[in-house]
Amino acid sequence: MALHDKQDRFKRQQEKSQSSLSGKAASTAPNGRSSATPAPVKFSNDTERLQHINSIRKAPVGAQMKRVIDLLFETRQALTLEQINEACYVDMKANKDVFDSMRKNPKVKYDGERFSYKSKHDVRDKSQLLYLIRKFPEGIAVIDLKDAYSTVMEDLQALKASREIWLLSNFDSQEDIAYPNDPKVPIKVDDDLKQLFRGIELPRDMLDIEKDLQKNGMKPATNTAKRRSAAQMQGISSKSKPKKKKNEITKRTKLTNAHLPELFQNLNNS
């Protein structure tokens, strides 16, 4: 009985296939070509986005890493591989080179599941920023603080305005240095001492100033010799160019405006 059922099922499948073939033959023209008009190929409305994603994933490893690091820097969140792929189209699951390079990058932290941005100093607000600067009485470079959090530069200016820190420029590197202004150490200077200090005549050459500082056990904030050497290497002379001698009119000068004698009242007799 089971065999009979299988045979009946097979016959029905055969009949179905035969009818399908007959239908296709009827729709075929005598020349062998189908008379039915082929359906137009429809491209996805998302083609441009897919091309953009494809170009990102074919980009060099360094370019893809930059996209991920920029994303982590802007969001300041710990993101999974799926979240990163969804946000900036870098598929680190499929690209092992990008994944391995990101794990080794000093600006990135990876906890085994999520990637996050790692700034040089782990501070998140103005109070933590001030606490950090007070740990560096010799000063801390502002460039090392810029990536701490999004509003760190505004907080630095606010701390400077409230006289809690000083922002001074380094003459060698032209970069700002943040120094703590400890409110626990108020200093009052007598007017006589101020007048004496202001009356001291300093050397005119910075080299002499730096030598005097070194003699007294202090490290100069500038390095004039190094700066001048670098300027000479670049072809920049510290000496002013000699002025060209002004051309004077003499009796040997060919005059083209002799009809205007007032122009030659100061004629040189040489």
Side-chain angles (χ1 to χ4, degrees):
M1 186 70 180
L3 179 61
H4 182 70
D5 291 340
K6 288 182 180 179
Q7 289 176 343
D8 289 343
R9 191 181 305 115
F10 177 74
K11 287 180 180 179
R12 286 196 298 270
Q13 289 176 351
Q14 290 278 32
E15 291 174 357
K16 185 177 180 181
S17 299
Q18 187 65 30
S19 61
S20 176
L21 290 173
S22 299
K24 288 183 178 180
S27 63
T28 304
N31 57 5
R33 296 181 181 179
S34 177
S35 60
T37 304
V41 178
K42 293 183 179 180
F43 290 96
S44 170
N45 294 330
D46 214 15
T47 300
E48 186 175 351
R49 187 180 71 89
L50 295 175
Q51 290 176 344
H52 176 62
I53 294 174
N54 187 51
S55 66
I56 291 173
R57 292 175 178 173
K58 287 186 176 181
V61 172
Q64 296 190 55
M65 288 177 61
K66 185 179 184 304
R67 288 184 65 86
V68 177
I69 293 174
D70 288 346
L71 172 67
L72 298 176
F73 176 79
E74 292 171 4
T75 60
R76 297 304 173 107
Q77 295 179 0
L79 303 177
T80 63
L81 299 181
E82 293 79 6
Q83 290 171 326
I84 291 172
N85 185 18
E86 183 179 352
C88 67
Y89 309 126
V90 176
D91 188 3
M92 286 191 284
K93 279 188 173 181
N95 195 327
K96 188 175 183 297
D97 291 338
V98 177
F99 178 78
D100 290 341
S101 298
M102 285 294 298
R103 284 196 309 165
K104 299 174 184 177
N105 193 286
K107 303 301 292 183
V108 173
K109 179 182 177 182
Y110 181 60
D111 61 4
E113 183 180 357
R114 299 172 184 269
F115 283 96
S116 58
Y117 187 82
K118 182 170 67 175
S119 57
K120 186 168 185 177
H121 298 285
D122 187 19
V123 292
R124 300 177 182 274
D125 53 38
K126 187 166 69 172
S127 60
Q128 292 182 4
L129 177 63
L130 178 59
Y131 181 78
L132 173 68
I133 294 174
R134 285 178 175 170
K135 287 183 177 180
F136 293 86
E138 72 282 3
I140 182 172
V142 172
I143 194 172
D144 292 338
L145 301 170
K146 282 185 176 181
D147 66 345
Y149 56 94
S150 58
T151 59
V152 65
M153 298 306 294
E154 290 83 350
D155 287 345
L156 282 171
Q157 293 299 326
L159 292 172
K160 177 185 176 182
S162 62
R163 294 182 176 272
E164 293 178 273
I165 66 168
W166 303 105
L167 290 178
L168 304 177
S169 295
N170 185 315
F171 289 98
D172 289 333
S173 60
Q174 299 298 318
E175 295 175 355
D176 286 342
I177 308 294
Y179 295 91
N181 183 20
D182 194 347
K184 298 178 182 177
V185 188
I187 300 175
K188 186 176 181 180
V189 181
D190 294 335
D191 292 336
D192 293 341
L193 185 58
K194 292 180 183 178
Q195 187 176 359
L196 179 63
F197 176 80
R198 292 166 183 165
I200 298 174
E201 185 176 354
L202 296 176
R204 294 183 178 274
D205 195 331
M206 281 298 298
L207 284 173
D208 296 331
I209 295 177
E210 292 169 0
K211 289 178 182 177
D212 289 344
L213 289 171
Q214 290 172 347
K215 286 179 182 178
N216 289 276
M218 291 180 283
K219 182 180 179 181
T222 58
N223 192 333
T224 304
K226 181 179 178 181
R227 189 169 68 251
R228 288 178 182 176
S229 176
Q232 290 177 357
M233 290 291 291
Q234 296 174 1
I236 304 173
S237 176
S238 59
K239 296 180 180 180
S240 59
K241 295 181 179 180
K243 294 182 179 179
K244 292 183 178 179
K245 185 178 179 181
K246 186 177 180 181
N247 294 329
E248 295 180 348
I249 301 175
T250 66
K251 288 183 177 181
R252 291 189 296 272
T253 305
K254 185 178 180 180
L255 303 180
T256 57
N257 293 324
H259 61 289
L260 300 173
E262 63 273 11
L263 295 178
F264 314 109
Q265 292 177 358
N266 297 326
L267 187 65
N268 198 331
N269 294 323
S270 57

